[in-house]
Amino acid sequence: SCIIWYVVIYLLSVTGYIRYFPGLFNKGLPFYYLIGPCFYLYMRGIIHAKYASFRKQDLLHLLVALPAICSVIPYFLLDDAGQQYVDDQIAKDQNYSFSGAKYIVGVWHWFAWPLTALIYTIIQFYLIKDASNTMSLIKKNAKWMYHITIMCGLIFATLLTVNIAVLFDRSSASIILGSS
């Protein structure tokens, strides 16, 4: 659901329709950071029965969202008119999303969360590989686990690549974001 939320907000931002939904912008950033750890914890729980239930130690994986929460608080504290102003700026110019303006999260978030998710995806891939080699992981289970892991890895790598392209060519941000 976090990936779907990201896609919806992305499409609304790229098309400029975000101005009609000021209550949605910036709300999902902390959840984006949780995509990688949640997929990893889910796969680990399927592979190893002892990790099937959530443990207190698993909360450490969720701490990756803490910087995002701190970064979106100023926007959350804006009144409706302030949030509408920010959304209107984004609708007018895609580069505003990368401007570092007071109520826009730091550009580093657009690299940190897909990178974090990509790292978790790589760890998840090796978790599945080790389980396939050392345990009696059913081939059918391993197959779908590999497929979802590879698909997620490609998504996160693409997000990272697009964000890097926008950073290095901000004048073409709307073209890059629109075409991606």
Side-chain angles (χ1 to χ4, degrees), residues 44 53-63:
R44 187 184 70 176
S53 61
F54 195 78
R55 304 167 312 144
K56 288 180 185 178
Q57 301 95 316
D58 294 335
L59 287 172
L60 294 174
H61 292 281
L62 306 182
L63 289 177

Side-chain angles (χ1 to χ4, degrees), residues 2-3 30-44 61-62 64 113-124 152 156:
C2 292
I3 292 175
F31 297 109
Y32 304 158
Y33 278 92
L34 298 179
I35 295 170
C38 287
F39 267 126
Y40 169 76
L41 292 171
Y42 174 71
M43 292 292 184
R44 187 184 70 176
H61 292 281
L62 306 182
V64 297
W113 86 259
L115 182 61
T116 302
L118 189 58
I119 290 168
Y120 267 99
T121 303
I122 292 167
I123 294 168
Q124 178 178 308
C152 287
F156 301 136

Side-chain angles (χ1 to χ4, degrees), residues 57-79:
Q57 301 95 316
D58 294 335
L59 287 172
L60 294 174
H61 292 281
L62 306 182
L63 289 177
V64 297
L66 197 56
I69 293 169
C70 294
S71 292
V72 296
I73 286 176
Y75 180 82
F76 285 175
L77 296 177
L78 278 175
D79 60 3

